[in-house]
Amino acid sequence: MPITGNSIIAGTPVNGTDGEVNAINPATGEKLEPAFGMVSVAQLEDATKAAEAAFDTYRATSPEVRAAFLERIADNIEAIGAELTERGTAETGLPAGRLEGERGRTIGQLRMFAAVVRQGDHLQVRIDPAQPDRKPAARVDIRQRHIPLGPVAVFGASNFPLAFSTAGGDTASALAAGCPVIVKAHNAHPGTAELVGQALAKAVKDSDLPDGVFSLLFGAGRSVGQALVADPRIKAVGFTGSQAGGIALMKTAAARPEPIPVYAEMSSINPVFVLPGAIADDAAALAGDFVGSLTMGAGQFCTNPGLVFVPEGTTGDAFINAAAGSLRSCAGQTMLTPGIAGAWEEGVKELAAADGVEQVAEGTPGATENAPAPRLFSTTAENFAASPRLQEEVFGAAGLFVRYSDAAELATATENLQGQLTATVHYAPGDEAAARELLPVLERRVGRILFNGWPTGVEVGHAMVHGGPFPATSDSRSTSVGSLAIHRFQRPVSYQNVPAELLPEPLQDNNPWKLNRRLDGSVETLKD
Amino acid sequence: MPITGNSIIAGTPVNGTDGEVNAINPATGEKLEPAFGMVSVAQLEDATKAAEAAFDTYRATSPEVRAAFLERIADNIEAIGAELTERGTAETGLPAGRLEGERGRTIGQLRMFAAVVRQGDHLQVRIDPAQPDRKPAARVDIRQRHIPLGPVAVFGASNFPLAFSTAGGDTASALAAGCPVIVKAHNAHPGTAELVGQALAKAVKDSDLPDGVFSLLFGAGRSVGQALVADPRIKAVGFTGSQAGGIALMKTAAARPEPIPVYAEMSSINPVFVLPGAIADDAAALAGDFVGSLTMGAGQFCTNPGLVFVPEGTTGDAFINAAAGSLRSCAGQTMLTPGIAGAWEEGVKELAAADGVEQVAEGTPGATENAPAPRLFSTTAENFAASPRLQEEVFGAAGLFVRYSDAAELATATENLQGQLTATVHYAPGDEAAARELLPVLERRVGRILFNGWPTGVEVGHAMVHGGPFPATSDSRSTSVGSLAIHRFQRPVSYQNVPAELLPEPLQDNNPWKLNRRLDGSVETLKD
């Protein structure tokens, strides 16, 4: 299907009437065709009304129907073929291999949620049977399941044009939960968004689901995004992007007559703790791996390791020197948009000018537009603890070393850290005492703790947490990656003394969906 | 232990320095001794600092230690004996039998959470083992558990001086999750609060836990309550009370540099749907039961059935006439405070004066102070749908009948309902079609649906939901009653490639806590 420049409102291509936007190839500055019409608030409301109208039918689908729908989305995205990668590369500057990998992840996520839906544990069914003879009072039959919240607004992310955009993790988990989804596309990759949106809308039709289950809107980020979150028919929000953008949506959601949950994944500098033992052996290899993680994808990952605590002294110096050497041979890669590249330049300028911060190394600019040279800086733990601004994310390939003298200084600096998505510890057996002291502090500040690796490359699985305390996310009780993400879009409802003929399938005595259910508090596993 | 008028800050009795408050016996207007000193913000911060300092030690307790602590609290509350009921009766006007029942519920909740903690499913452990040979990339070991959020602020509720106050459901579930708790006592029952607080503080000491695990503060509701929620060391809030009070706390929590979750259970009018078949047989018996639920505890329950949809026509008339007759023989009961009685009088006056609303019946005033006569009013479904103010809770024994002509009119009125804690359906087999139409609409609006019963009397179990969409609560994703309530105070953390010697117990290979764990997405039950 060709890229048309239309939004998709409940299955119908609609040209937005509130201005136009074109994608820009960040590697060349070239404007890409076609222009995308931006929707008016009235057009947006057509989408939210259709989503609301579709909700009861969609949420009543059986596990098999819903799972097959998710798989059909995956199949349809796969079937787009090379066009998706070509357009994605032109719109984002990301290399073809990266986009192909990201497509694999996107499809894999959809198939994982299909399996989650078929398995059914996300419904969290609990049954407390009647106890008519209980004293002093009889107990009536009470059953509980989780139901979906309602239509969900999802914001496409600039840095994951596939895996966190139109049919990405937020969309997949919301659809899996039984929520219709309205995606506000990111204006940096509208063509990619439309291709995926067409694949998703086709899956809705082919699955005989109500068209309102999915809409894709192009629009001015601020006005249309805010209007979408303010719309009374929207019941939850998924967002990946900047802290300013996320906080603006949180405020709008909290100020509604009916406040709603916002799952905003915003900013993180992902501290890395290099413990002394870990660099005793081969500081150079570790430093090379660090620079690889820092510069991967032009550093445009939520999990980019922007902060590295390194011990003072000669082994720490060796690590930093090796990293500096490695960085100097790195060329800049095309950043996603001129705006993102500009913001990175600003951030780096501020870092370079900050008191007590010095530049350690600079790479070389890339051959394209918007491909600035990566940078490394250094400061002391004392200065870091005294300078909250050094904790502001510089989105892109820029890293800050923080030199610490001993465990006490490291602990103080760690206690002062804001909430983060990840913390990484580089560790050798001799570091056990220091690591033991660090772990509880990190648990209070991050969503994922990892050892002897790098935070970039987020595994999509059952045990993953891609979340963390504010300002890393707006809601630390959740993850936006992995199967637990489905819980974000659900709430519990209990059914007391409801006649058998009216009980929803998951709660019926004969357990037609063959669910694991909790009986009087204990799980009976039926399927595993 | 005598009632002293002191707050308990991390185990130490502290006389608040910011003014005094006395309880008032609402049945007589008598001022009760002693005076309670109200804490200053500096004293409040002593409590939050101690809670923060206690957090890491407390959250690291084993299931057995934590469960035994909860059981010790229950034992200590039981050991207070008659003094608790005597003081409670004097402070609240509630009858001794009700307070004894409520103490049983409070103790039962604590013991239920002890069992939940020992069983350990709330930790929600997930393990995705390493797959070193996976292609195209190896998978590293990733494990997930839920950890407690941090110190929790709990606000005592006027209408449940035991079960939703000092050691009530919010406190029990937060302590069970591993969170230190700071209770802001309700000023209507400070002596009851202090007795329970002493029992709880003694359990902390006897369990060798850090004193900061629990504090009890007396203070001016608005200023100290707001300061507590704004304190950066507090990480979540539990509240049961008015909509205005809950919304004020939500705003403070959202405006913090680090926003935090607020679980506010606020207001609900708990619609009852009387379907035609249900009153065909014995309208009088049903009407008597309704009046019993409406007037129980002077109508001061969150789940009080304040709104009853009744069909037009003779059977509906018979139901209403029977209810009116029943109500006329009801005497008013002492309300909790002069302020609550005054607010009820205001609400009833507004209801009586509202367009299209007429009074159906009035009981008789009670013999004590603050014991106004219960009331019943009636209006049409059309008028109800057009008058959003008729949905405002009148806290106390006042009910509104809404007469509907047919299923379509009932559906419209239901679609216009705000979020509620409960919805009740009175139903006989001939009502099946109407009930089927109603159910999905109710699911979208309430936390608990019950049939052929009354919403008052909330079972504390595993399948209970005492929650619901705004404005019934601030967060529909939770319940404040039942074992699921523990999830409110937790968040997930994942551990990637963490060396065996550093893994927390619940995640260790040998599973020392014998937990049910999810392995690659599937539950392995070990204990059940």
Side-chain angles (χ1 to χ4, degrees):
Chain A
M1 281 177 284
I3 299 173
T4 65
N6 289 324
S7 291
I8 302 171
I9 297 183
T12 303
V14 173
N15 197 254
T17 57
D18 211 9
E20 289 189 340
V21 65
N22 284 73
I24 305 289
N25 184 328
T28 62
E30 175 202 3
K31 188 166 150 181
L32 300 174
E33 294 303 328
F36 285 76
M38 298 200 284
V39 295
S40 66
V41 169
Q43 291 174 319
L44 177 153
E45 287 179 351
D46 290 341
T48 60
K49 283 175 192 162
E52 187 183 48
F55 178 44
D56 275 346
T57 303
Y58 182 55
R59 74 188 176 93
T61 48
S62 69
E64 183 49 42
V65 166
R66 203 182 297 166
F69 166 53
L70 294 169
E71 288 167 341
R72 202 165 272 143
I73 301 170
D75 294 345
N76 289 356
I77 292 171
E78 213 159 30
I80 303 170
E83 187 183 2
L84 188 60
T85 303
E86 283 156 21
R87 179 77 189 191
T89 301
E91 289 186 333
T92 65
L94 294 170
R98 150 72 195 272
L99 284 173
E100 278 157 18
E102 195 180 321
R103 183 177 56 194
R105 175 173 164 174
T106 306
I107 289 167
Q109 281 178 161
L110 287 158
R111 290 182 179 147
M112 177 190 72
F113 279 113
V116 164
V117 166
R118 279 203 184 86
Q119 199 266 352
D121 278 2
H122 66 290
L123 298 170
Q124 300 174 67
V125 172
R126 296 170 165 224
I127 300 180
D128 294 348
Q131 295 175 346
D133 300 326
R134 191 182 65 170
K135 303 293 172 201
R139 182 172 86 175
V140 295
D141 181 285
I142 306 181
R143 299 170 188 232
Q144 184 187 112
R145 66 165 172 170
H146 276 64
I147 69 168
L149 290 176
V152 171
V154 170
F155 288 78
S158 64
N159 63 337
F160 278 95
L162 299 172
F164 271 88
S165 289
T166 312
D170 288 339
T171 298
S173 54
L175 289 175
C179 299
V181 169
I182 298 175
V183 174
K184 158 71 182 72
H186 198 287
N187 285 342
H189 53 256
T192 309
E194 193 190 341
L195 288 171
V196 175
Q198 289 169 349
L200 210 162
K202 183 171 183 304
V204 173
K205 281 208 198 304
D206 291 349
S207 303
D208 284 326
L209 294 170
D211 291 327
V213 165
F214 173 72
S215 289
L216 171 68
L217 305 179
F218 298 102
R222 289 199 188 156
S223 56
V224 167
Q226 291 292 337
L228 187 58
V229 173
D231 188 294
R233 300 162 201 97
I234 293 295
K235 300 299 182 190
V237 178
F239 169 87
T240 300
S242 70
Q243 193 171 325
I247 288 176
L249 296 183
M250 288 169 71
K251 287 195 171 149
T252 300
R256 290 166 45 121
E258 179 195 7
I260 54 171
V262 172
Y263 301 103
E265 195 264 84
M266 298 182 287
S267 62
S268 181
I269 52 176
N270 303 296
V272 176
F273 301 85
V274 177
L275 299 182
I279 44 174
D281 278 353
D282 192 351
L286 196 67
D289 291 346
F290 160 62
V291 171
S293 177
L294 180 77
T295 58
M296 185 191 292
Q300 301 166 124
F301 289 105
C302 327
T303 54
N304 188 258
L307 186 69
V308 187
F309 291 92
V310 179
E312 290 176 356
T314 52
T315 54
D317 291 347
F319 173 78
I320 287 181
N321 290 337
S326 176
L327 189 88
R328 284 188 198 103
S329 68
C330 280
Q333 298 164 51
T334 317
M335 295 192 80
L336 292 158
T337 69
I340 288 173
W344 182 88
E345 298 271 17
E346 275 305 304
V348 161
K349 209 176 284 174
E350 280 182 32
L351 209 47
D355 283 348
V357 172
E358 58 185 35
Q359 181 166 310
V360 169
E362 182 170 355
T364 55
T368 67
E369 302 283 304
N370 301 305
R375 307 276 195 102
L376 281 172
F377 298 90
S378 181
T379 191
T380 63
E382 195 184 357
N383 189 48
F384 179 79
S387 314
R389 293 199 58 190
L390 295 181
Q391 292 197 41
E392 284 174 20
E393 184 183 34
V394 179
F395 188 72
L400 176 65
F401 294 116
V402 178
R403 305 299 299 268
Y404 66 93
S405 57
D406 55 21
E409 206 178 55
L410 186 62
T412 306
T414 309
E415 283 286 357
N416 285 326
L417 280 173
Q418 293 189 323
Q420 307 288 342
L421 293 172
T422 70
T424 301
V425 182
H426 281 280
Y427 165 90
D431 299 318
E432 197 173 325
R436 267 188 205 290
E437 202 169 326
L438 203 52
L439 262 174
V441 186
L442 297 182
E443 283 174 338
R444 281 190 267 108
R445 274 165 186 68
V446 313
R448 176 166 57 115
I449 296 168
L450 64 145
F451 272 64
N452 296 340
W454 299 98
T456 44
V458 179
E459 182 71 36
V460 179
H462 302 287
M464 176 52 66
V465 176
H466 188 66
F470 187 89
T473 79
S474 56
D475 191 336
S476 72
R477 297 164 294 175
S478 63
T479 174
S480 59
V481 175
S483 63
L484 194 74
I486 193 172
H487 290 284
R488 296 180 295 171
F489 302 113
Q490 298 184 304
R491 65 181 180 86
V493 174
S494 78
Y495 299 76
Q496 179 173 323
N497 198 34
V498 172
E501 67 272 20
L502 294 174
L503 277 174
E505 280 102 329
L507 303 179
Q508 291 170 2
D509 278 340
N510 64 346
N511 197 2
W513 291 0
K514 304 223 184 313
L515 301 168
N516 299 319
R517 309 198 288 193
R518 193 172 286 273
L519 197 71
D520 263 331
S522 295
V523 175
E524 307 183 286
T525 54
L526 295 179
K527 295 203 310 191
D528 294 317
Chain B
M1 283 176 282
I3 299 172
T4 66
N6 289 323
S7 291
I8 302 170
I9 296 182
T12 303
V14 173
N15 198 252
T17 57
D18 210 9
E20 290 188 339
V21 65
N22 283 75
I24 304 289
N25 184 327
T28 63
E30 177 202 3
K31 187 166 149 181
L32 301 173
E33 294 303 329
F36 286 76
M38 297 200 283
V39 296
S40 66
V41 170
Q43 291 174 318
L44 177 153
E45 287 179 350
D46 290 342
T48 59
K49 283 175 191 162
E52 186 183 47
F55 178 45
D56 275 345
T57 304
Y58 182 55
R59 73 186 177 94
T61 49
S62 69
E64 183 49 40
V65 166
R66 202 181 298 166
F69 166 52
L70 294 169
E71 288 167 340
R72 203 165 271 142
I73 301 169
D75 294 346
N76 289 357
I77 292 171
E78 211 158 32
I80 303 171
E83 189 185 0
L84 188 60
T85 303
E86 283 157 21
R87 180 77 190 190
T89 301
E91 288 186 333
T92 65
L94 294 170
R98 150 71 196 272
L99 283 173
E100 278 157 17
E102 194 180 321
R103 183 178 56 195
R105 174 173 163 175
T106 306
I107 289 167
Q109 281 178 165
L110 287 157
R111 291 183 178 145
M112 178 190 72
F113 279 112
V116 164
V117 166
R118 278 203 184 87
Q119 199 266 352
D121 278 2
H122 65 290
L123 298 170
Q124 300 174 68
V125 172
R126 296 170 166 224
I127 300 180
D128 294 347
Q131 294 175 345
D133 301 326
R134 191 182 64 170
K135 303 289 171 207
R139 183 172 85 174
V140 295
D141 181 285
I142 306 180
R143 299 169 189 232
Q144 183 187 111
R145 66 165 172 169
H146 276 63
I147 70 167
L149 290 175
V152 171
V154 170
F155 288 78
S158 64
N159 63 336
F160 278 95
L162 299 172
F164 270 89
S165 289
T166 312
D170 288 340
T171 298
S173 54
L175 289 176
C179 300
V181 169
I182 298 175
V183 174
K184 159 70 181 72
H186 198 287
N187 286 342
H189 54 254
T192 310
E194 192 189 341
L195 288 171
V196 175
Q198 288 169 349
L200 210 163
K202 184 171 183 306
V204 173
K205 281 207 198 303
D206 291 350
S207 303
D208 285 326
L209 294 170
D211 291 326
V213 165
F214 173 72
S215 289
L216 172 68
L217 306 178
F218 299 101
R222 291 201 185 153
S223 56
V224 166
Q226 292 291 338
L228 188 57
V229 173
D231 189 293
R233 301 161 201 98
I234 294 295
K235 300 299 182 190
V237 178
F239 170 88
T240 300
S242 70
Q243 193 172 325
I247 288 175
L249 297 184
M250 288 169 72
K251 287 196 170 148
T252 300
R256 291 166 44 123
E258 179 195 6
I260 54 171
V262 172
Y263 301 102
E265 194 264 85
M266 298 184 287
S267 62
S268 181
I269 51 175
N270 302 296
V272 177
F273 300 85
V274 176
L275 299 182
I279 44 174
D281 278 352
D282 193 351
L286 196 69
D289 291 346
F290 160 62
V291 171
S293 177
L294 180 77
T295 58
M296 185 191 291
Q300 300 165 122
F301 289 105
C302 327
T303 53
N304 188 258
L307 187 68
V308 187
F309 290 91
V310 180
E312 290 177 356
T314 52
T315 54
D317 291 346
F319 174 77
I320 288 182
N321 290 337
S326 176
L327 189 88
R328 284 188 198 106
S329 68
C330 280
Q333 297 164 51
T334 316
M335 295 192 78
L336 292 158
T337 70
I340 287 173
W344 182 86
E345 298 272 15
E346 274 307 305
V348 162
K349 209 176 284 173
E350 280 181 34
L351 210 47
D355 283 347
V357 172
E358 58 183 38
Q359 182 166 309
V360 169
E362 182 170 355
T364 54
T368 67
E369 301 282 304
N370 301 306
R375 307 275 194 104
L376 281 172
F377 298 90
S378 181
T379 193
T380 62
E382 193 183 359
N383 189 50
F384 179 79
S387 314
R389 294 198 57 190
L390 295 180
Q391 293 197 40
E392 285 174 20
E393 184 183 34
V394 179
F395 188 70
L400 176 64
F401 294 116
V402 178
R403 304 299 299 268
Y404 66 92
S405 57
D406 56 20
E409 206 177 56
L410 187 62
T412 306
T414 310
E415 283 286 357
N416 285 326
L417 281 173
Q418 294 187 322
Q420 307 288 341
L421 294 172
T422 70
T424 301
V425 181
H426 282 281
Y427 164 91
D431 299 320
E432 199 174 323
R436 269 189 203 289
E437 201 170 327
L438 204 51
L439 262 175
V441 186
L442 297 181
E443 283 174 338
R444 283 191 265 109
R445 272 164 187 70
V446 314
R448 176 167 56 114
I449 295 168
L450 62 145
F451 271 64
N452 296 340
W454 299 98
T456 45
V458 180
E459 182 72 35
V460 179
H462 302 287
M464 176 51 66
V465 176
H466 189 66
F470 187 88
T473 79
S474 56
D475 191 335
S476 73
R477 297 163 294 174
S478 63
T479 173
S480 59
V481 174
S483 63
L484 193 75
I486 193 172
H487 291 284
R488 295 180 296 171
F489 302 114
Q490 299 183 303
R491 66 180 179 85
V493 174
S494 79
Y495 300 76
Q496 179 174 323
N497 198 35
V498 172
E501 67 273 20
L502 294 175
L503 277 174
E505 281 101 329
L507 303 180
Q508 290 171 2
D509 278 340
N510 64 346
N511 197 2
W513 291 0
K514 306 224 182 314
L515 301 168
N516 300 318
R517 308 198 288 192
R518 193 172 286 273
L519 197 71
D520 263 331
S522 295
V523 174
E524 308 183 285
T525 54
L526 295 179
K527 295 204 311 190
D528 294 317

